[in-house]
Every structure is written in C-alpha cells, then in structure tokens.
Amino acid sequence: MSDFRIGSEHFELDGAPFQILSGALHYFRVHPDQWRDRIRKARQMGLNTIETYIAWNAHAPSEDVFDLSGGLDLGRFLDDVAAEGMHAIVRPGPYICAEWTNGGLPGWLFTSGTVGVRRDEPQYLAAIERYMRQLAPVLEPRQIDRGGPIILVQIENEYGAYGSDPVYLEKLVAINRAIGLTVPFTTVDQPHPDMLENGSIPGLHKTASFGSRSTERLATLRAHQPTGPLMCSEFWDGWFDHWGAHHHTTTVEQSTRDLEDLLAAGASVNLYMFHGGTNFGFTNGANDKGVYQPLITSYDYDAPLDEAGDPTAKYWAFRDVLKRYTTVTDAGIPAPAAEAPTPVGAFDRVAALADILDVLGSWQAHRTPPTMDHLGIFEGFVLYRAEIEVSGPAVLEIGEVRDRVLVSLNGAPVGVLARDHHDRRLALPADARGTLDLLVEDQGRVNYGERIGEHKGLIGTVRVQGEPVLGWQVLPLHLGDVAPIQRALAGSAAVAPDALSGPVFARASFTLDEAADLFLDTREWGKGAAWINGHPLGRYWSRGPQHTLYVPAPILRAGDNELVVFELHAAAAEVRFAPRPDLGHTDF
C-alpha cells in the first residue's frame, strides 16, 4: 500500500515529493480493447498518471439502469491504468462538461422541471448520492491506500464559471467521503480570481485550467492557493470543433513552450487531452451562447495522440520536454502511423424511413406535441405526425426548435427548420392538406452554461395559419440497437441505387483481409449517422469540417463487414474509405 497526500509544498508519494505528469483519456470515448494501448503510449511519452471524467449519463441512460459493462467498465479501465504502472485521477462530476452531451448529467434527471442544476437542491443531491453509491464498489477499492491507482478525486468541475454555492460543494464533499473515498480532493477553475474563489471551499485544493501563458496563470493560482503544490489540471493542448466551423489546432511550438514553462516552475500537469477519442453514436455535446453549435463526432482535440491512437508531432515534442523531468526510455516507443486500408463498396439495400417505421418504435397519441424528454428519449430522433387542412397560403410556426426539423407533407419534403439559424417559421404549399410530418433531431445537448438540462424536441405550440395544431401521433426512433434495421434491410429487395434520397436507411458491405483501423469517407454524403457491424460511429454532415469517421479496428473482422447509414437528405451510392483522417481545414 502507498500513501499519497498534499504537502505544504509538493504532492507527496510515500513521503517524497511527486510531480504529477498526467494525461486525459476518457474511457467512454475509446473502444475498451484499445484502452491498454493508449495508456501504454502515455507512459511511453513520459506521463505517470491517467485522468478521466466519469460520464454519469452514459452509465445511467435511465433512472433504473446503471451500466458498468463493456465500454463503460470503469473498473477494467482503472485496472488497465494500474497494470501499466500508472496512477489515476478521477473526476466523477457529477457535472463534467467535456463537450459531452448534457455535460454528463442524465436527461431523465430534469424531466419533472423541478430539479435544481449544480446547486444545493434536495432532488439533485439525492440523485447524486445514489450515483456515487453506485460508483463506490469501483472507486473505493482502487484508491492508492488500498493498493489501487487512484491518487486524486475532483469535486464538481469548473464550478466557479457557473455558480457560487459553498453549501452545495460541502455536500458534494460529504457524499464523496461517505462512499469511502479517502484520497485528497481537488477543484479546478480557470485562473480568474472570482472563478477560483467561487469554485472551491476550504479543505479542497485549488487547481487551474488553461493552455497558454503558464507563468502568469500559475501566479494567479498561487495567489488563491497560497500553500501546497501548483497544478494545471487541464492544460489545453488543443481544442474541439463545431459543425460548420473550422478545425481547431494549436501549434506544436507554442504548446511545447507553455508546457516547458509550467513544468520548469515545478507545477504538476494534466494534459487535456492526451488522447481525445470519439463521440460515438449521439454523445456529442453542444454550446449555445446565443447561437447553438453542436460538436462534431471526432474528439481528436489536436492532442498528442490522435483520434486513431497514433502519435503526432506534438507527442514527440512533449516527450522531449518530459525527458527533462522524468525517466523516459526508448524501448517499445510507438511506430509512426501507416495509411489505413481503403476498401470500397456500394449500397445494395435501401429502406425509406416511412417504410420501416413499425420496426423503430411504437406510436403514441398526444393532444399537443410533447418534448422528447417527456417521451423518455434523450438522444436521436422523434417523428411528430398530424393531419392538417388549410385553404390558400399557409405558414408552419413552432415555438422553438431543438434542434433541427425536417418538414414533409404527404411524404414530400417541404423544408428544414434549424435551431442554429433561429428558424421558427416555414411556408407550406398552398391549400396544404394531409399528413404533416416533423422529423426532429436532437443534435447534442448543451454541455456548458445556463442551458444545461433543457428539454429537446418541439418546444411550445405548433401552429398552421396561426391556429394550434392538435391531435398528434408521435414515434420515438429507437436507434440504440440497429439490429431491427439490419433485419429490415436484409429483407428488402437488392438494388443498385444511383444515389440515396432521404430520409432513408441503406446497407453496404465491404471486405477486409484483416481487421484494421479505417476512416469512412463521408464527403459525398449529406447528413446522417453511420454504424459498422452494429457499432455506432456517430454523425456525419457535409457542412464539415469533419469528412471522415473513425472506425476502430476491434469492431471489424477479416472478410465481410456491414455498413448501415441513416441519410436524412441525399448521398452518393458509393462507399469509400480514406487512407488518413480528414478533419477539415485549420483556418477560415
């Protein structure tokens, strides 16, 4: 057993000064069969610690489920960290931001509309207490004083940027201690005086988050944490991307200089990110500071280890810096990335959404359109259907769109209403009558700021010609398991379409000599989501900047593999793969 504590000047491991050299790696963004490889590469770069958030909503998709299996096996992940001889920092939130949908908070928590967010509110704290008790069997025995890797646990996350409720933080500390956590507790905030003061309480060790001007920002941190070690527990070595914006990068030279300044000052560090991974499925978050901006599928983050787990120029530059502060050997260092295989295929089975609705869910009757949350749906798509009959020109009006609505009348496309354009109204054909379909996409829940916990779907009243539309049939599309869609496609007639006309599901097959990482080329497709061998890859969108989807080798096999896409608009019929990722241009 070892002893880890916060001393008057340093972190101390078994009584000796210890400089934390950590890298962020989110287990829920990486295939579990690749965890060990990524952790080993962190050690080979010179790191001694792995940091991870815990995504509450990933483990608890509903109130009566807590999943610790497969890619959510946090115990296995921490054991992999220990097996590589590394320590662990755990950040259970409950709020994590992380550019992850809803900042990690479960959507079901806010269905009633009466639960507080990130404050001293009884319903919220009771749910957190239950969540932490569910984590206890994983975390408690894996602390360093019990022979495990965990050396630090973070309370909340950049709370000073959101609130200033010390009682809330005190109660979070009590909940964490009550489940048996004995290691030191920390907080993190951006190095602004008000954030550092509002985001912590006495007894918690303050750390900072920044990505530049290390010397200046460590001085600000020292003014508010006058004793003990300094730590940048989020050293931003890259950044994230939104759909429709440019691909963000930071220069190797500047990031390396800032890291050198930080370590030379004797501070500890956690690289955010060491390896970003992927927002598989519908797990990406969003920002809304006046304009709604959903995040892309890739969480490459311009990190030292790219989305496919390959070392970048930043990896080698950081390694050269770390050599001056720790022992780094050249044995077993990662090989340069090779080009990925580029199999080809074509869609040979198609099924219009309208033709397979019965396999996707069950219709529900409602007088007025409910939110997705009131349907118990916290990601993906919901179809709203009503009958209308008007004379002359007509306008469809929706109180608020969250986040994107495909409008059709009697199966014919009419247009799109998009939250990021602040759309609320759309002209319908004159003398519109028949079946009005509104296919709503949750493009990712806001992960930062005051809109955390907001409901999705159609918000408020839907009107045509100024009159409320009543009498709705609502169908949640259950896309978490694509097996029913695969069966429906297998039962459809074989075709060789010239192109896909959405909304449509389509299937293609491709052959590999052996399993290997791939990059699915989406440049000739419109907007939708993709699955390979039943595994969700995430969203694609011609808007960019991302134009390939990462396909991890463990979901592939030698021989035939199956691709399924849900295309909302239009796409070329060819299926192609790229030799390298295409995450877009780095400037406007």
Side-chain angles (χ1 to χ4, degrees):
M1 306 299 176
S2 292
D3 175 73
F4 185 86
R5 63 185 59 198
I6 298 174
S8 59
E9 296 183 33
H10 308 283
F11 292 113
E12 297 176 0
L13 178 61
D14 294 330
F18 183 77
Q19 189 174 27
I20 297 173
L21 306 173
S22 176
L25 169 58
H26 301 155
Y27 61 97
F28 46 87
R29 282 181 159 129
V30 180
H31 192 283
D33 292 347
Q34 296 174 324
W35 289 342
R36 191 72 179 268
D37 170 77
R38 281 35 169 180
I39 296 165
R40 180 177 298 117
K41 287 172 178 172
R43 176 176 55 77
Q44 291 167 334
M45 195 178 80
L47 302 180
N48 56 31
T49 303
I50 294 292
E51 174 270 311
T52 187
Y53 283 124
I54 300 175
W56 182 5
N57 55 3
H59 292 281
S62 63
E63 192 169 2
D64 57 352
V65 170
F66 198 79
D67 187 1
L68 288 165
S69 65
L72 297 173
D73 190 344
L74 177 60
R76 173 186 168 185
F77 177 77
L78 292 171
D79 292 344
D80 282 351
V81 171
E84 285 295 327
M86 302 186 76
H87 304 292
I89 298 171
V90 174
R91 303 205 282 175
Y95 166 76
I96 63 172
C97 184
E99 292 74 58
W100 184 259
T101 184
N102 221 31
L105 299 176
W108 51 260
L109 186 60
F110 305 106
T111 301
S112 69
T114 62
V115 174
V117 181
R118 304 181 72 188
R119 60 183 172 86
D120 177 20
E121 192 279 317
Q123 297 172 92
Y124 184 56
L125 286 166
I128 294 168
E129 187 172 8
R130 181 185 181 199
Y131 159 57
M132 293 305 297
R133 286 200 307 267
Q134 290 166 321
L135 286 177
V138 177
L139 300 181
E140 189 272 338
R142 290 179 172 85
Q143 298 178 95
I144 192 167
D145 55 1
R146 292 158 176 77
I150 301 173
I151 57 174
L152 291 174
V153 169
Q154 182 181 290
I155 301 297
E156 247 278 354
N157 188 56
E158 290 191 331
Y159 184 62
Y162 180 86
S164 57
D165 185 347
V167 174
Y168 166 57
L169 295 179
E170 290 167 2
K171 291 184 177 181
L172 285 185
V173 169
I175 290 170
N176 279 263
R177 290 295 183 208
I179 67 164
L181 297 182
T182 56
V183 296
F185 290 172
T186 65
T187 55
V188 62
D189 281 286
Q190 297 172 48
H192 299 283
D194 57 338
M195 293 184 186
L196 287 166
E197 289 306 310
N198 292 337
S200 194
I201 56 175
L204 299 179
H205 191 75
K206 297 183 180 74
T207 71
S209 54
F210 55 84
S212 61
R213 301 181 356 230
S214 296
T215 303
E216 170 192 338
R217 285 164 170 166
L218 287 174
T220 302
L221 174 61
R222 177 55 81 199
H224 296 270
Q225 181 59 57
T227 64
L230 293 172
M231 182 172 184
C232 177
S233 58
E234 283 193 22
F235 178 74
W236 302 326
D237 53 18
W239 207 243
F240 51 86
D241 295 338
H242 297 111
W243 289 114
H246 67 291
H247 174 47
H248 293 80
T249 61
T250 58
T251 68
V252 174
E253 295 76 16
Q254 185 62 54
S255 292
T256 303
R257 283 196 298 269
D258 287 316
L259 177 62
E260 175 70 68
D261 290 345
L262 194 157
L263 297 178
S268 289
V269 68
N270 175 55
L271 305 176
Y272 193 97
M273 298 292 297
F274 167 68
H275 172 53
T278 307
N279 296 314
F280 292 115
F282 303 117
T283 58
N284 64 279
N287 286 295
D288 191 338
K289 299 177 182 179
V291 176
Y292 175 75
Q293 296 178 297
L295 274 88
I296 67 171
T297 297
S298 172
Y299 201 64
D300 176 87
Y301 213 87
D302 193 35
L305 213 63
D306 71 13
E307 185 179 9
D310 292 317
T312 67
K314 200 171 287 182
Y315 180 98
W316 302 113
F318 282 12
R319 190 173 187 270
D320 287 341
V321 171
L322 290 165
K323 282 181 179 179
R324 296 193 278 276
Y325 299 91
T326 189
T327 300
V328 180
T329 67
D330 290 333
I333 59 174
E339 289 194 342
T342 56
V344 295
F347 293 111
D348 59 4
R349 296 285 196 281
V350 295
L353 171 64
D355 293 337
I356 62 167
L357 291 176
D358 58 329
V359 308
L360 297 176
S362 300
W363 290 98
Q364 302 177 25
H366 295 266
R367 185 172 185 270
T368 58
T371 67
M372 294 176 69
D373 300 64
H374 285 116
L375 296 168
I377 302 300
F378 305 108
E379 64 175 26
F381 296 81
V382 169
L383 178 61
Y384 296 78
R385 173 171 288 177
E387 299 299 316
I388 62 171
E389 183 173 352
V390 296
S391 299
V395 171
L396 170 69
E397 179 183 352
I398 301 173
E400 186 180 349
V401 171
R402 296 185 191 156
D403 301 306
R404 196 168 186 268
V405 182
L406 272 64
V407 181
S408 63
L409 183 65
N410 299 322
V414 175
V416 174
L417 294 170
R419 174 177 177 172
D420 58 342
H421 293 168
H422 302 284
D423 293 335
R424 293 183 53 235
R425 296 177 180 85
L426 182 69
L428 297 175
D431 300 322
R433 65 190 63 200
T435 301
L436 176 70
D437 278 351
L438 306 178
L439 179 61
V440 180
E441 179 184 3
D442 169 1
Q443 291 186 282
R445 291 176 180 247
V446 171
N447 54 255
Y448 186 87
E450 299 298 324
R451 302 196 72 147
I452 296 166
E454 68 178 7
H455 289 194
K456 292 287 189 152
L458 303 180
I459 310 300
T461 303
V462 177
R463 301 175 186 273
V464 172
Q465 269 190 329
E467 294 297 321
V469 178
L470 304 177
W472 291 85
Q473 294 293 317
V474 184
L475 180 70
L477 307 189
H478 295 290
L479 301 179
D481 178 9
V482 295
I485 299 168
Q486 291 171 306
R487 290 192 292 270
L489 288 167
S492 64
V495 295
D498 295 327
L500 302 183
S501 178
V504 64
F505 289 95
R507 170 202 176 274
S509 63
F510 59 93
T511 302
L512 291 172
D513 293 333
E514 60 181 1
D517 286 348
L518 301 178
F519 302 99
L520 179 62
D521 188 337
T522 64
R523 282 173 291 187
E524 300 302 320
W525 299 349
K527 188 181 195 306
W531 296 258
I532 286 184
N533 295 334
H535 181 92
L537 301 184
R539 309 176 203 257
Y540 62 85
W541 198 355
S542 58
R543 176 180 287 194
Q546 176 176 1
H547 294 295
T548 55
L549 290 175
Y550 171 60
V551 186
I555 72 168
L556 297 164
R557 52 184 175 252
D560 290 339
N561 294 265
E562 182 183 60
L563 167 71
V564 171
V565 301
F566 180 33
E567 171 60 53
L568 297 174
H569 299 297
E574 296 84 10
V575 173
R576 298 175 180 173
F577 292 83
R580 295 192 180 278
D582 179 359
L583 299 181
H585 298 294
T586 59
D587 52 17
F588 290 102

